[in-house]
Amino acid sequence: KAIATLGPDSTPPLLPSPPPPIVGPGGIPPWWVLHNVTPAGPGKDMGNSTAISFSEEQQKQFGIDEDGNIIDPAKHAKAIATLGLPPLPPPPPPPPPPPPLPPPTPPPSPVAAQVPVPAPAPPAISLPFDCNADYVDCYHCLMMRWSVGKRAWCCAHAQRGCPTDAPLTVPKTTSYPFDCNAGYANYKIGWSDAKKQWCCQHVRKGCVTTSLPFDCNAGFANWQAGWSESKKRWCCQHGGRGCGTTA
């Protein structure tokens, strides 16, 4: 036989490709390979290769289509059982699904800045007296300017207006309503109630005590003859008794 030679520009003839390996689902050979069933249908031209096919009789017998795909599982299992061969092994279970991904971590919530809260202002305290107003460092002068209550409060809380141990004298002036030095030796009888009250409040002279010099009720039935002249004058001035003249 003559051997054909190829020139430099000649294209070599295409050789048929080998058929692809027969592998079923999951890498297991197809059922007809496992059960030694030979496809009896005509070959199917796939271009570079020829695929198998099953005859119509085999399709009816095994419940398959021409490519060997099972379309009637009950008929297929019954036909396999008549062959005296073990049935096809079940396909391997599908791989387990991957574990679910953890939920995304939410971003940290912003922390509000701490705004300092100013402390409330202390409530204003109203004092009963202003110990700075009209103050002079002279207790006898303050006795003329301040009330007894103000002197006592300011002495206890501000050490102002406290009485001193100096002799209590009132400077001579015509602006005072009473002269507390005049007649002081006989103030109980000689001073009026107004003068006693004023001098007691301002210079602590002439203060009336709970003990009275005379009892104007005692001996009143015979006051004209039984009372002394000083008791008559005192009781007439302070109690309205003993004011008549003697016969």
Side-chain angles (χ1 to χ4, degrees), residues 206-223:
C207 299
V208 178
T209 63
T210 55
S211 141
L212 299 177
F214 301 102
D215 184 358
C216 298
N217 293 321
F220 179 67
N222 191 29
W223 66 271

Side-chain angles (χ1 to χ4, degrees), residues 4-243:
T5 58
L6 299 177
D9 297 331
S10 300
T11 301
L14 295 176
L15 299 177
S17 300
I22 301 175
V23 180
I28 300 176
W31 64 269
W32 62 86
V33 175
L34 295 176
H35 297 291
N36 297 323
V37 176
T38 302
K44 299 173 64 176
D45 186 6
M46 305 299 293
N48 295 334
S49 63
T50 301
I52 62 170
S53 67
F54 291 84
S55 64
E56 293 182 3
E57 181 181 356
Q58 289 177 321
Q59 295 176 31
K60 294 178 181 180
Q61 177 185 0
F62 292 102
I64 58 175
D65 59 10
E66 66 176 356
D67 296 324
N69 298 316
I70 301 172
I71 58 178
D72 189 346
K75 181 184 288 188
H76 181 78
K78 185 177 180 180
I80 294 298
T82 58
L83 297 177
L85 299 174
L88 291 176
L101 297 176
T105 303
S109 56
V111 179
Q114 297 293 333
V115 179
V117 179
I125 300 176
S126 177
L127 300 178
F129 299 102
D130 183 359
C131 300
N132 294 321
D134 200 25
Y135 171 75
V136 292
D137 191 11
C138 171
Y139 176 71
H140 307 308
C141 303
L142 291 178
M143 293 177 67
M144 308 299 177
R145 301 183 181 190
W146 288 3
S147 64
V148 177
K150 182 174 181 178
R151 292 200 306 271
W153 193 92
C154 290
C155 178
H157 296 85
Q159 288 75 47
R160 288 189 170 188
C162 299
T164 61
D165 295 333
L168 300 175
T169 57
V170 178
K172 296 181 179 180
T173 174
T174 57
S175 62
Y176 297 127
F178 300 102
D179 183 359
C180 298
N181 293 322
Y184 178 67
N186 193 32
Y187 78 92
K188 293 184 178 180
I189 299 175
W191 285 6
S192 65
D193 291 340
K195 181 175 180 178
K196 291 176 182 178
Q197 182 178 2
W198 192 92
C199 290
C200 179
Q201 179 179 2
H202 292 83
V203 296
R204 291 187 292 177
K205 286 187 175 183
C207 299
V208 178
T209 63
T210 55
S211 141
L212 299 177
F214 301 102
D215 184 358
C216 298
N217 293 321
F220 179 67
N222 191 29
W223 66 271
Q224 292 181 348
W227 285 7
S228 65
E229 292 300 323
S230 58
K231 182 174 181 178
K232 292 176 183 178
R233 288 194 300 269
W234 193 90
C235 289
C236 178
Q237 183 178 0
H238 295 85
R241 290 187 169 190
C243 299

